Amino acid sequence: MKFNFKEILTAFMVLFAVIDIIGNIPIIIDLRKKVGHIQSEKASLIAGVIMIVFLFLGQSLLSLIGIDVNSFAVAGAFILFFIALEMILGITLYKDDENAATITATVFPLAFPLIAGPGSLTTLLSLRSEFHLENIIVAVLLNVALIYVVLKTSSKIEKIIGPNGILIIRKIFGVILLAISVKLFATNIKELF
């Protein structure tokens, strides 16, 4: 076991920025208005299980289809780059399915793909190429705990922070995520050549 506080903190911050649970508070509130009650425990647990299972099996799945982790990490860097652009510029590159509200909102779209979506799954494999597995698992569990707290208190958080506060937090994490995507790209592109 090689627990490293710096790795845990870095992995936590990367996942926190990608999942963007604070920036998703308006979406969570909108889902609550559309479908009523959202089960915070179930959404957090399902998202956590999806992320940890993908952390362990994602590399095997990639090997099965003939893709190495560095190629996946470079692709992940592009996804993180575009997510960061969405956060910084306030644009929407990825459109959600409008019919998603007909399915239980706790699992879809909240647990997947809002929390454990393409960005966070790609990020997990990208992190795996740089950090020790146990540090990433701790970072995932810390994020799941934070997600649970935010889901439970989303309406209170919105009232306290306000729309401008949420916007500022989203922009700050967008810039951090953009820098991380550039570093991830630079690190892994070298391994491909």
Side-chain angles (χ1 to χ4, degrees):
M1 292 280 194
K2 294 187 178 182
F3 288 106
N4 180 317
F5 180 74
K6 185 180 176 192
E7 281 192 11
I8 292 170
L9 182 65
T10 304
F12 172 80
M13 291 299 289
V14 170
L15 284 170
F16 182 75
V18 172
I19 294 168
D20 188 28
I21 196 67
I22 302 294
N24 284 323
I25 287 175
I27 298 168
I28 294 164
I29 290 167
D30 188 48
L31 278 174
R32 284 187 196 266
K33 287 176 186 170
K34 286 180 186 172
V35 298
H37 178 68
I38 291 175
Q39 297 170 320
S40 305
E41 302 87 1
K42 188 176 178 182
S44 304
L45 185 65
I46 289 171
V49 167
I50 290 170
M51 288 190 280
I52 289 174
V53 166
F54 194 80
L55 182 63
F56 284 100
L57 299 179
Q59 196 165 4
S60 302
L61 290 170
L62 290 177
S63 297
L64 188 66
I65 56 176
I67 300 172
D68 62 282
V69 175
N70 295 111
S71 299
F72 197 77
V74 168
F78 283 117
I79 290 173
L80 295 179
F81 180 82
F82 289 120
I83 291 171
L85 284 181
E86 283 186 341
M87 293 168 74
I88 296 166
L89 302 175
I91 57 173
T92 304
L93 299 171
Y94 172 74
K95 302 277 187 209
D96 289 326
D97 182 9
E98 295 296 324
N99 299 324
T102 59
I103 305 170
T104 175
T106 299
V107 177
F108 186 87
L110 189 55
F112 180 83
L114 196 62
I115 298 169
S120 54
L121 297 180
T122 305
T123 302
L124 285 170
L125 284 191
S126 302
L127 290 172
R128 189 168 179 171
S129 68
E130 290 187 42
F131 301 136
H132 291 98
L133 195 60
E134 55 271 14
N135 295 325
I136 300 170
I137 292 170
V138 171
V140 168
L141 294 175
L142 289 172
N143 266 288
V144 168
L146 185 65
I147 288 164
Y148 170 73
V149 170
V150 170
L151 289 177
K152 271 293 197 202
T153 60
S154 57
S155 4
K156 291 176 187 172
I157 291 172
E158 186 194 30
K159 288 175 189 169
I160 293 168
I161 297 176
N164 289 336
I166 291 171
L167 187 66
I168 290 167
I169 290 170
R170 190 173 171 95
K171 302 267 186 218
I172 290 169
F173 277 100
V175 172
I176 292 169
L177 193 58
L178 189 62
I180 290 166
S181 72
V182 170
K183 181 182 181 263
L184 193 60
F185 177 81
T187 304
N188 286 284
I189 199 76
K190 291 175 193 172
E191 299 296 323
L192 294 176
F193 298 107

